[in-house]
Amino acid sequence: MSLSIVLEHLYLVLAASLLSVAVGLPLGIWAYMSPKARAVILRVADLLQTIPSLALLGIIMVVLNPGKLTVITGITLYSLLPIVRNTCLGLQEVDPGVKEAARGMGMSTPYRVLMVEFPLAFPTVFTGIRIAVVNAIGTAVFAAYVGGGGLGGVITQAIRIQDLKSVLLATGVLMIIAVALDLTMGWFESRMRKSRGSLRRIWLPASAVLVIFCLLLPFGRDSTGDLLLYDGDYSETQLMHHMVKMLVEDQTGLTVTIQDQMSQVNNFKSLIGDKHSCDLMISYDGTLLTTFFHKDTPDVPEGETIYSYVSDMAHSDYGLRLLDQLGFENTYAIGVPETLAAEHGLETISDLVPIADQLVFGAEQEFFTLEGSMKYNPFVAYYGLNFKSHVPVDMGLKYSAIENGSFDAAVVYTTDGLNRKVGLKILEDDRSFFPDYNGAFLVREDVLLKYPALEGILNQLAGRIPTEQMAELTYQVDVMGRSVDDVAREFLIGAGLLQN
């Protein structure tokens, strides 16, 4: 975790806070001045607060694309409720005698509200802003899911690889930021309550926040470079994207920028269309088939491979080129503790059938959905498995649950280094239920036309990374704690693709 990531997180919080104040104060004043509008405004603010954070960011991302703007917009909407409510409440609580005196002096309603009532109500208004800012610090963690950056990516990755030290460190930083901002704003609030409506006291905190925000602007700028990629939420994706950067920059004069973390699904969305925010990504033919193109293995014409089928579809429907296969296959697999495998002689998935009613099965929530054929119900029906129970778990917590003995069998990925860490035996898919998930680079066609040498450079990795090799690379990162850059560079040098 670097200082730049902390400052990036703080930028997201302050940008969203300033925007929520700019929107929330007028709405609160309008709600105070118009009883008819009040019910609608407060109800909408209430409803926004009830939408789950990830769902809200997902909805916004459809319109604004991935990145910091999506995160800032989402936090802004989440922060409106306390600001709008406290603005309306603060104005309602102003002494009626003061309001009457202002009317008697012939002040217009807008002038009276803004110049007399609002300064008196501002301590209460500021309490709402204070609550919104502190809440935004935690909400900004979800930026990691939509390429917004900040400390969310550090926490998500640390949970997945069970790095308690990094989780505690990132959480501690968030707590320090929250406490520091809360104490500072609390001090300003107490000073304003003593000032009895002094406008000078109101502008002081506003000016301080604006100065800090201006200092943080470099951490909110858009990424630049000849080629743009997103960092992945798994070490495998990060390794491959960093190899791209090293190879391209070593063999051409191009600059490659790796942007904030992004999930596979959101990365694909950011790759397609005229408003794309990246140029290429690592993907898998099985993922393209089932997740991105919403097809199943029966849709693949007889005699044609999944790879060739999705390659043609990617080119014709999306203007993308699927480059040569890299050699590793990160498919679904069923893992069981080595002790359990040794006790019952488990080698294949079919070997689970006689003892399935004694076992608890675990997987991510997505594996238990009804969409597509590569899911739990088709899987157990295909193999004739009748597990004692099945439990959904967040992907970041899955390996902790396995290690703690919460599951007896689980869905894992074949190249994940954590399989080795927690002592899992990968069972052979002896009846070939799961489709191929061969890794390959997915590149925009217009990018390849612009940089003709790029395809040849990336295809230098084709067939060079077998599944066992990728599992070792991810083990080095996730378990041994080595940096992605060091592991990627060491591999490229060993393969003769990069000089020392």
Side-chain angles (χ1 to χ4, degrees):
M1 182 177 65
S2 63
L3 178 60
S4 63
I5 293 178
V6 176
L7 295 177
E8 186 178 50
H9 194 95
L10 190 57
Y11 165 80
L12 293 173
V13 172
L14 291 184
S17 298
L18 288 172
L19 188 56
S20 62
V21 169
V23 175
L25 292 184
L27 286 176
I29 293 172
W30 185 17
Y32 163 68
M33 296 178 65
S34 172
K36 291 183 179 179
R38 185 181 309 155
V40 176
I41 293 171
L42 294 180
R43 179 60 58 86
V44 170
D46 282 336
L47 289 175
L48 288 172
Q49 197 77 17
T50 64
I51 302 174
S53 304
L54 282 177
L56 182 61
L57 290 177
I59 294 169
I60 297 170
M61 192 180 70
V62 173
V63 179
L64 298 181
N65 292 326
K68 290 181 174 57
L69 182 58
T70 290
V71 178
I72 291 170
T73 304
I75 299 175
T76 297
L77 294 177
Y78 253 78
S79 301
L80 287 179
L81 180 60
I83 296 175
V84 172
R85 279 196 174 278
N86 276 47
T87 300
C88 183
L89 179 63
L91 290 169
Q92 289 174 329
E93 291 180 340
V94 172
D95 187 343
V98 173
K99 298 178 182 179
E100 190 59 38
R103 291 191 189 95
M105 294 176 65
M107 295 182 183
S108 65
T109 299
Y111 185 88
R112 184 188 78 242
V113 171
L114 294 177
M115 304 305 295
V116 177
E117 297 179 28
F118 186 76
L120 292 171
F122 196 72
T124 301
V125 175
F126 195 75
T127 299
I129 297 174
R130 181 179 172 187
I131 294 170
V133 170
V134 173
N135 287 341
I137 294 170
T139 306
V141 169
F142 293 104
Y145 295 94
V146 291
L151 287 165
V154 176
I155 294 175
T156 302
Q157 179 76 355
I159 290 174
R160 196 185 78 83
I161 65 175
Q162 303 175 61
D163 185 355
L164 182 59
K165 180 180 177 181
S166 294
V167 173
L168 292 177
L169 179 59
T171 304
V173 169
L174 287 175
M175 293 173 65
I176 290 171
I177 293 173
V179 171
L181 286 176
D182 190 53
L183 289 175
T184 303
M185 296 177 74
W187 180 79
F188 276 123
E189 184 180 336
S190 65
R191 299 276 291 178
M192 283 186 292
R193 290 189 184 279
K194 294 177 182 178
S195 70
R196 298 180 181 180
S198 170
L199 288 174
R200 184 173 63 86
R201 298 291 188 185
I202 295 176
W203 287 111
L204 184 60
S207 300
V209 171
L210 285 173
V211 169
I212 295 172
F213 176 71
C214 290
L215 294 174
L216 292 172
L217 280 176
F219 297 93
R221 65 182 185 275
D222 292 332
S223 299
T224 57
D226 298 307
L227 293 176
L228 299 178
L229 295 81
Y230 279 105
D231 227 4
D233 49 2
Y234 283 93
S235 298
E236 183 171 307
T237 303
Q238 294 170 5
L239 284 162
M240 296 311 303
H241 286 184
H242 283 247
M243 286 184 195
V244 170
K245 177 178 174 66
M246 293 174 188
L247 284 176
V248 172
E249 291 187 344
D250 180 66
Q251 299 181 25
T252 71
L254 302 177
T255 58
V256 179
T257 300
I258 298 179
Q259 305 172 100
D260 300 309
Q261 286 189 12
M262 179 79 76
S263 67
Q264 273 273 313
V265 172
N266 289 334
N267 198 164
F268 180 76
K269 292 177 181 177
S270 69
L271 181 67
I272 60 177
D274 295 333
K275 296 182 179 180
H276 64 280
S277 56
C278 73
D279 298 307
L280 65 95
M281 65 180 289
I282 178 68
S283 192
Y284 311 88
D285 50 8
T287 301
L288 287 166
L289 178 72
T290 61
T291 303
F292 300 158
F293 300 161
H294 306 292
K295 302 288 186 180
D296 276 323
T297 48
D299 296 313
V300 180
E302 187 176 351
E304 189 172 358
T305 64
I306 293 176
Y307 173 83
S308 63
Y309 178 70
V310 298
S311 180
D312 291 341
M313 185 176 293
H315 186 264
S316 61
D317 295 357
Y318 297 95
L320 304 174
R321 181 91 64 80
L322 190 64
L323 302 189
D324 295 346
Q325 297 177 29
L326 295 164
F328 58 89
E329 185 184 357
N330 190 12
T331 186
Y332 282 119
I334 304 301
V336 297
E338 291 179 346
T339 53
L340 181 68
E343 180 183 352
H344 295 280
L346 304 178
E347 296 292 339
T348 68
I349 296 177
S350 294
D351 292 337
L352 289 172
V353 175
I355 61 169
D357 59 354
Q358 307 169 37
L359 306 179
V360 176
F361 182 88
E364 293 92 350
Q365 179 65 52
E366 182 188 42
F367 191 69
F368 295 105
T369 60
L370 299 179
E371 181 182 348
S373 62
M374 299 300 113
K375 304 297 181 180
Y376 178 75
N377 287 334
F379 166 66
V380 294
Y382 185 83
Y383 268 102
L385 295 166
N386 183 26
F387 288 108
K388 178 181 179 181
S389 62
H390 57 271
V391 182
V393 67
D394 182 82
M395 71 174 68
L397 300 175
K398 180 173 66 178
Y399 281 98
S400 295
I402 293 171
E403 200 166 30
N404 294 335
S406 300
F407 305 148
D408 301 303
V411 165
V412 295
Y413 298 106
T414 51
T415 61
D416 202 324
L418 293 175
N419 296 332
R420 176 177 161 190
K421 178 180 183 292
V422 301
L424 287 182
K425 180 178 179 63
I426 305 302
L427 302 181
E428 179 190 347
D429 183 10
D430 53 308
R431 296 185 59 197
S432 302
F433 174 77
F434 296 113
D436 298 334
Y437 280 84
N438 297 293
F441 289 117
L442 191 62
V443 190
R444 291 182 58 87
E445 182 73 28
D446 54 359
V447 172
L448 293 176
L449 292 175
K450 185 176 182 180
Y451 306 115
L454 182 61
E455 182 173 358
I457 292 172
L458 297 181
N459 276 338
Q460 291 177 90
L461 290 167
R464 304 289 288 269
I465 314 175
T467 301
E468 297 77 13
Q469 177 72 67
M470 179 53 75
E472 176 60 29
L473 297 178
T474 61
Y475 181 84
Q476 291 291 323
V477 174
D478 292 341
V479 182
M480 302 302 293
R482 300 183 63 197
S483 73
V484 169
D485 275 333
D486 286 346
V487 174
R489 180 173 285 104
E490 183 179 275
F491 171 80
L492 292 176
I493 292 172
L497 299 175
L498 198 68
Q499 298 298 316
N500 284 308

